[in-house]
Amino acid sequence: MQERPTVAVLCHTGAGGSGVVATELGLQVARSGHEVHFVGPAMPFRLMGHQGFQGPYFHQISSFAYALFDQPYPELAAANTLAEVIQEYGVDLTHAHYAIPHATAANHARAITGRGRVMTTLHGTDVTLVGAEPAFRQTTRHAIERSDHVTAVSHFLAEQTREVFGTSREIEVIHNFVDSGRFVRITDPAVRARFAHPEEALIVHVSNFRPIKRVEDVVQVFARVASELPARLLMIGDGPERARAFDLARELGVIGRTQFLGSFPDVQTVLGISDLFLLPSSNESFGLAALEAMSCEMPVVASRAGGIPEVVEHGVNGFLAEVGDVDAMADAALRVLRDRDLYTRMSAAARETAVTRFHPERIVPQYLAAYRRTVGGRSGAAGC
Ligand code: GMT
């Protein structure tokens, strides 16, 4: 069996949890001595500035605009560039993050080259939203069943995958992880002073502002909290719901205390100085943003949805409420912000959870073992 297989990675390259996990994992895998090749339309945003001479390497997908094509067919272009990378570098395994189109493209490239294995990591909306959509259900199911090994980022998502696709194939659960050396509390008052006065509670939300994130609930919760104590809200990220959240903040009279920072690469600094994280999503397979906040010693107030309870333990490192119950979320936020002892206990528990259960040293070896098993052909593969 090959101890250090050469790995190609296909992932979404813009801001989003699956691309973050793919990039952070690729960096860790390269550090452990594997040759890692990212293949994408652009360099994944968290890879920028982190490549060393030993990689990870990045290969841009070549595309071809032809007048007869009414669409760019990105899956075909991805499969083509990936096939070239597999052949040129002797790739043993392609790790596809997100089923559509990456697992599809990876299976396609394996068929073209006749070499290498495919491991697919399911991240959430690839199953719960895109895969569940009739327009993509068959291709998603096929991509999953044809992968040599499949992982999901939570028990919830593994179960959902079996339910949505009626498949009994083996799905290994490997949770998200956080670099707890980088995501830390920042105590320098000068950094915090950029965003809030010392007496204000600093509340933060990070997402891609898609409808599933319920960003209007973030504003609703904040407005209730801000009516009771001095507070500020930082909204980090961008997406289709940003304008609605902005309008609501204006309507509720909290726009002066809300800052929409847009896409913000230095997310760990903002998390490092904030006091409370809000994640009211209608569904969330895991909640990586919440985990990164917890690593910075921040309690989380979130919805009891999807895989969030696998990370946020109600009453221990945060509070959970039913989806859309903004009153319960505001009560929970006020409770933890007002009670110094409770806050200290919960923020310590949040950090403890991140460091003990979701440390890279605990999670990355699970992926490496899966790589070795998959390349060695000892997986629940459907394969080629
Ligand atoms: O919706 C996002 O936050 C982005 C999305 C993605 O696929 O890029 O994130 C998903 O993958 C993350 C990493 O595995 C998970 O932590 C998120 O919970 C998941 N998002 C959803 O399920 C909505």
Side-chain angles (χ1 to χ4, degrees):
M1 192 200 309
Q2 211 172 331
E3 274 309 303
R4 290 206 174 104
T6 297
V7 178
V9 181
L10 274 183
C11 65
H12 292 298
T13 55
S18 60
V20 169
V21 170
T23 308
E24 298 281 354
L25 178 62
L27 286 165
Q28 298 269 353
V29 171
R31 247 172 248 146
S32 73
H34 293 249
E35 196 174 308
V36 178
H37 297 267
F38 278 83
V39 175
M43 185 179 284
F45 78 107
R46 277 217 189 162
L47 190 59
M48 289 175 203
H50 290 286
Q51 290 169 290
F53 71 96
Q54 286 180 307
Y57 307 103
F58 168 69
H59 309 272
Q60 185 156 20
I61 294 170
S62 335
S63 59
F64 171 56
Y66 180 50
L68 192 65
F69 292 175
D70 48 5
Q71 288 178 25
Y73 301 111
E75 186 266 316
L76 298 180
N80 195 80
T81 303
L82 178 60
E84 289 168 0
V85 170
I86 291 173
Q87 285 157 336
E88 191 173 342
Y89 296 97
V91 167
D92 301 297
L93 177 130
T94 299
H95 192 171
H97 291 265
Y98 213 85
I100 295 271
H102 298 134
T104 315
N107 288 332
H108 197 164
R110 182 190 53 197
I112 294 169
T113 58
R115 72 159 291 152
R117 296 267 168 166
V118 173
M119 177 165 140
T120 296
T121 292
L122 304 171
H123 282 273
T125 48
D126 44 356
V127 169
T128 57
L129 218 141
V130 181
E133 177 62 39
F136 283 118
R137 194 178 299 139
Q138 301 238 42
T139 38
T140 308
R141 182 195 289 122
H142 185 264
I144 291 170
E145 287 184 344
R146 282 295 172 184
S147 300
D148 296 295
H149 188 57
V150 179
T151 74
V153 300
S154 63
H155 293 283
F156 158 80
L157 185 60
E159 198 43 53
Q160 273 289 110
T161 308
R162 289 187 202 101
E163 214 172 276
V164 168
F165 300 111
T167 174
S168 57
R169 78 152 302 160
E170 187 196 327
I171 300 171
E172 183 182 1
V173 173
I174 306 182
H175 284 128
N176 288 174
F177 61 93
V178 61
D179 182 345
S180 52
R182 233 170 69 226
F183 284 83
V184 289
R185 182 114 292 262
I186 296 169
T187 47
D188 181 354
V191 182
R192 196 184 141 97
R194 162 73 186 77
F195 298 101
H197 298 297
E199 72 284 3
E200 286 170 329
L202 194 50
I203 298 178
V204 63
H205 171 77
V206 181
S207 78
N208 44 25
F209 287 57
R210 285 179 293 164
I212 204 167
K213 300 294 177 179
R214 295 183 68 96
V215 286
E216 287 179 276
D217 285 7
V218 173
V219 177
Q220 295 269 14
V221 171
F222 175 70
R224 284 162 171 76
V225 171
S227 69
E228 303 258 343
L229 50 78
R232 277 189 191 270
L233 174 63
L234 296 179
M235 298 286 269
I236 302 176
D238 219 331
E241 297 294 299
R242 177 180 160 145
R244 290 162 78 99
F246 189 92
D247 286 350
L248 184 64
R250 207 165 27 200
E251 206 178 288
L252 297 177
V254 290
I255 194 67
R257 275 179 275 173
T258 305
Q259 249 185 297
F260 287 82
L261 295 176
S263 296
F264 197 75
D266 190 12
V267 71
Q268 70 260 31
T269 299
V270 175
L271 292 177
I273 53 155
S274 299
D275 301 312
L276 188 77
F277 191 84
L278 295 181
L279 189 67
S281 311
S282 58
N283 200 352
E284 195 71 57
S285 66
F286 180 89
L288 177 63
L291 177 61
E292 292 183 337
M294 287 161 71
S295 183
C296 297
E297 300 179 32
M298 224 189 301
V300 173
V301 172
S303 47
R304 194 176 278 106
I308 294 177
E310 293 176 43
V311 194
V312 180
E313 214 181 320
H314 183 69
V316 177
N317 49 29
F319 286 110
L320 299 174
E322 298 316 309
V323 174
D325 193 345
V326 289
D327 287 332
M329 289 182 201
D331 287 349
L334 285 165
R335 189 174 154 202
V336 68
L337 289 171
R338 278 177 169 149
D339 182 338
R340 239 326 81 214
D341 289 347
L342 180 64
Y343 188 88
T344 306
R345 264 200 321 277
M346 280 199 160
S347 51
R351 172 78 185 166
E352 174 82 6
T353 304
V355 172
T356 56
R357 292 183 53 213
F358 303 109
H359 196 279
E361 278 172 19
R362 190 185 168 111
I363 305 294
V364 176
Q366 297 177 37
Y367 278 113
L368 293 178
Y371 287 175
R372 286 195 295 273
R373 279 198 316 274
T374 307
V375 170
R378 291 194 291 112
S379 180
C384 21

